[in-house]
């Protein structure tokens, strides 16, 4: 594997991409002169979130009434066979409302929630469908969402509408306070009143203070609404998205595919190296020895030279086989562990490498082999691409994680981009719940950290 240095820096450091969803400003985006607190009432995001809260009340009323009515009807009819299909229909309807709520959150909150796992039916038919709906955890989580979201929708609607209305009404009070003396027969908005005393907001100072209070409400409204929608985000993500178990199953299936592809690629590489290297050299060696055997009686000196050349070819073939075996799983790793194996790899690197391994015990052979392979590939990249004059390898353990860090003072610019060696390395680590983080600004230095699960025998 090889990593191209100096290209695509920043596209794959293991951190979120820049953009609206990540919280980082986009490259080349316009910088606002006003701070976020002043421009928030006029931003599209604030109005989308406010619209989400306004739509939430009627939708939650409809969903709550449907869920409670259908489930109550189904529960009441459970003494007969009719209760089961009614209850299944109730859960199916809640699943449909859940899909609508995910779409609404995606459109107004820009919340990307994956669809939950589909119904698993072993056979076709209405009875199989009912059983799948009733046994699906997604159906019951959708029903729970319908019940829990209603009181929250009422609360968030009341809070959002009141703070929004009071804010704009008080802010614009200097524009419409004249309505009271002209049409209502009083000096302004009554702040306090009893049988003997009445306090109106009617002089310039009180009008100005009222407008300032309204300004504070108006500026705070987007943040209050945003805090309310955070609860909606949690409800949608937690109850209407895929379960943790289903997500983990998908991850494991993906990791299994990566492991299979990686193993197949390794087998192809070994076969290619054997076919193009040692095997071809051994075939040529057999031919040379055959010719030497024929010339042994006619020209002993020529035969001796050919045998001597064949001896050199044998040494070269043996060295190639040793290198190939060392790339798969070196004997020193099995016998003496990571410290000795990484020191041997560092000694073959094109630049001086300092190796420090701080481990009191050895991990399982699988994790140890992946750690060795990771450091070997990173040091190979340093030799080929970094133009560094110094590198360091540090290995240590933090609780139940094995940490690897490779640093060099080269030109930098390494990136986990499509098609690069670091991409394959990151996929190999991800297959065992590992992480690869690259910090390689243009001009260097490069710091690559790998994290693997720690498991002992």
């Amino acid at each position: 594997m090889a990593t191209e240095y100096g290209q695509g820096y920043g596209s794959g450091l293991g951190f979120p991409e820049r953009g609206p969803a990540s919280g980082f400003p986009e490259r080349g985006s316009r910088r606002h002169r006003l701070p976020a607190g002043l421009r928030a009432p006029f931003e599209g995001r604030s109005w989308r979130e406010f619209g989400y809260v306004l739509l939430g009340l009627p939708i939650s009323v409809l969903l709550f009434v449907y869920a409670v009515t259908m489930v109550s009807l189904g529960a009441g009819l459970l003494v007969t066979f009719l209760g089961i299909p009614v209850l299944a229909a109730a859960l199916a309807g809640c699943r449909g409302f859940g899909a609508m709520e995910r779409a609404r959150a995606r459109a107004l909150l820009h919340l990307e929630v994956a669809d939950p796992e589909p119904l698993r039916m072993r056979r076709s038919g209405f009875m199989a469908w009912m059983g799948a709906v009733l046994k699906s955890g997604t159906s019951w989580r959708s029903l729970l969402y319908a019940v829990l979201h209603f009181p929250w929708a009422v609360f968030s609607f009341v809070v959002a509408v009141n703070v929004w209305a009071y804010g704009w009404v008080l802010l614009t009070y200097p524009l419409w306070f004249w309505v009271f003396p002209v049409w209502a027969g009083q000096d302004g908005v009554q702040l306090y009143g009893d049988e003997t005393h009445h306090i109106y907001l009617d002089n310039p100072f009180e009008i100005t203070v009222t407008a300032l209070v309204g300004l504070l409400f108006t500026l705070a409204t987007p943040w209050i609404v945003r805090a309310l929608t955070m609860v909606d985000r949690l409800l949608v993500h937690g109850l209407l998205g895929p379960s943790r178990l289903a997500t983990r199953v998908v991850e494991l299936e993906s990791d299994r595919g990566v492991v299979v592809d990686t193993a197949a690629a390794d087998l192809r590489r070994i076969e290619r190296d054997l076919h193009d290297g040692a095997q071809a050299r051994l075939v040529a060696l057999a031919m040379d020895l055959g010719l030497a055997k024929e010339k042994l009686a006619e020209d002993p000196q020529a035969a001796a030279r050919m045998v001597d050349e064949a001896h050199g070819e044998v040494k070269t073939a043996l060295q190639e086989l040793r290198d190939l075996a060392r790339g798969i799983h070196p004997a020193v790793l099995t016998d003496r562990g990571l410290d000795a194996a990484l020191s041997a790899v560092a000694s073959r690197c094109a630049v001086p490498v300092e190796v420090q391994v701080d481990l009191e015990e050895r991990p399982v052979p699988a994790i140890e082999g992946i750690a060795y392979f990771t450091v070997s590939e990173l040091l190979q990249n340093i030799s080929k691409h970094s133009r560094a004059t110094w590198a360091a390898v540090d290995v240590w353990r933090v609780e139940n994680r094995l940490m690897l860090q490779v640093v060099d003072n080269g030109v930098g610019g390494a990136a986990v981009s499509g098609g690069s060696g670091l991409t394959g390395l990151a996929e190999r680590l991800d297959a065992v719940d590992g992480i690869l983080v690259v910090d390689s600004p243009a001009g260097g230095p490069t710091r690559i950290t790998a994290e693997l699960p720690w498991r002992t025998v």
Side-chain angles (χ1 to χ4, degrees):
M1 296 184 181
T3 304
E4 296 183 2
Y5 278 69
Q7 296 181 1
Y9 166 65
S11 61
L13 305 182
F15 300 104
E17 296 287 342
R18 292 179 178 267
S22 66
F24 294 96
E26 296 181 2
R27 290 190 180 113
S29 61
R30 180 171 58 90
R31 294 184 177 181
H32 296 279
R33 295 182 178 180
L34 290 177
L38 295 180
R39 66 175 187 270
F42 309 100
E43 287 185 331
R45 176 180 176 180
S46 301
W47 289 100
R48 287 195 306 270
E49 292 171 341
F50 186 62
Y52 183 90
V53 173
L54 293 182
L55 288 175
L57 181 60
I59 291 176
S60 65
V61 170
L62 176 63
L63 181 55
F64 181 82
V65 170
Y66 170 84
V68 171
T69 303
M70 292 294 291
V71 171
S72 301
L73 179 62
L77 293 175
L78 280 178
V79 294
T80 66
F81 178 75
L82 294 177
I84 297 178
V86 171
L87 189 58
L91 295 177
C94 290
R95 289 177 68 103
F97 277 110
M100 180 189 67
E101 286 293 271
R102 288 193 300 272
R104 185 166 70 99
R106 188 179 302 114
L108 297 178
L109 300 182
H110 291 176
L111 177 65
E112 293 295 334
V113 178
D115 294 335
E117 59 275 14
L119 294 177
R120 298 181 180 272
M121 296 187 295
R122 296 182 178 179
R123 59 183 185 275
S124 59
F126 180 71
M127 298 298 294
W129 176 82
M130 280 197 308
V133 170
L134 292 173
K135 291 188 294 185
S136 172
T138 301
S139 304
W140 295 100
R141 291 199 307 273
S142 300
L143 174 63
L144 182 61
Y145 175 86
V147 175
L148 293 181
H149 189 258
F150 172 69
W152 174 252
V154 173
F155 173 79
S156 58
F157 180 89
V158 172
V159 172
V161 169
N162 276 279
V163 295
W164 184 86
Y166 275 109
W168 284 102
V169 166
L170 295 179
L171 179 62
T172 58
Y173 183 62
L175 303 178
W176 57 270
F177 81 96
W178 55 270
V179 171
F180 290 93
V182 173
W183 301 102
Q186 62 185 45
D187 295 333
V189 173
Q190 183 174 329
L191 186 63
Y192 171 79
D194 55 21
E195 296 179 356
T196 58
H197 299 283
H198 300 278
I199 300 176
Y200 297 98
L201 302 176
D202 54 358
N203 61 62
F205 174 76
E206 294 172 345
I207 294 174
T208 302
V209 172
T210 302
L212 291 177
V213 173
L215 178 62
L216 294 178
F217 269 90
T218 303
L219 295 178
T221 297
W223 306 103
I224 296 174
V225 174
R226 190 159 302 171
L228 296 173
T229 57
M230 288 301 296
V231 178
D232 289 279
R233 292 171 186 267
L234 293 175
L235 288 173
V236 173
H237 188 275
L239 296 178
L240 300 183
S243 64
R244 291 184 177 181
L245 178 60
T247 303
R248 184 57 179 165
V249 169
V250 172
E251 291 178 356
L252 292 177
E253 290 178 348
S254 176
D255 292 344
R256 182 182 62 183
V258 172
V259 170
V260 172
D261 294 341
T262 302
D266 289 340
L267 289 176
R268 289 193 299 268
R269 177 178 59 84
I270 294 171
E271 181 183 6
R272 183 179 64 250
D273 291 343
L274 286 174
H275 183 271
D276 297 341
Q279 181 179 349
R281 196 173 297 279
L282 290 174
V283 170
L285 175 62
M287 295 177 61
D288 292 341
L289 290 175
L291 293 174
K293 181 179 179 181
E294 293 177 359
K295 288 183 175 292
L296 184 61
E298 301 175 0
D299 190 355
Q301 293 183 353
R305 287 195 303 270
M306 296 179 69
V307 170
D308 186 61
E309 292 176 358
H311 183 257
E313 290 292 324
V314 169
K315 291 182 177 179
T316 304
L318 287 175
Q319 184 61 40
E320 290 180 355
L321 289 175
R322 289 194 189 98
D323 293 339
L324 182 60
R326 188 183 296 114
I328 300 172
H329 194 89
V332 66
L333 178 62
T334 303
D335 297 337
R336 300 173 57 188
L338 275 175
D339 194 354
L342 295 183
S343 298
V345 172
S347 66
R348 298 192 299 270
C349 188
V351 300
V353 181
E354 297 179 6
V355 178
Q356 183 174 359
V357 179
D358 184 14
L359 297 177
E360 297 181 357
E361 56 182 333
R362 296 176 60 175
V364 295
I367 298 300
E368 196 173 51
I370 294 175
Y372 171 83
F373 178 83
T374 301
V375 175
S376 300
E377 290 296 307
L378 294 177
L379 291 181
Q380 184 179 359
N381 290 340
I382 291 174
S383 299
K384 292 182 177 180
H385 306 287
S386 69
R387 289 181 280 175
T389 60
W390 170 87
V393 176
D394 196 7
V395 182
W396 72 100
R397 177 184 177 182
V398 177
E399 295 180 354
N400 61 341
R401 307 294 286 181
L402 176 63
M403 308 297 296
L404 313 171
Q405 190 171 86
V406 179
V407 183
D408 68 77
N409 62 347
V411 295
V416 184
S417 55
S420 73
L422 288 181
T423 302
L425 201 57
E427 291 175 351
R428 185 184 290 261
L429 294 177
D430 184 64
V432 292
D433 290 335
I435 301 172
L436 184 72
V437 178
V438 180
D439 181 13
S440 181
T446 296
R447 184 183 304 272
I448 300 179
T449 304
E451 182 179 333
L452 290 166
W454 178 273
R455 291 193 290 270
T456 54
V457 180

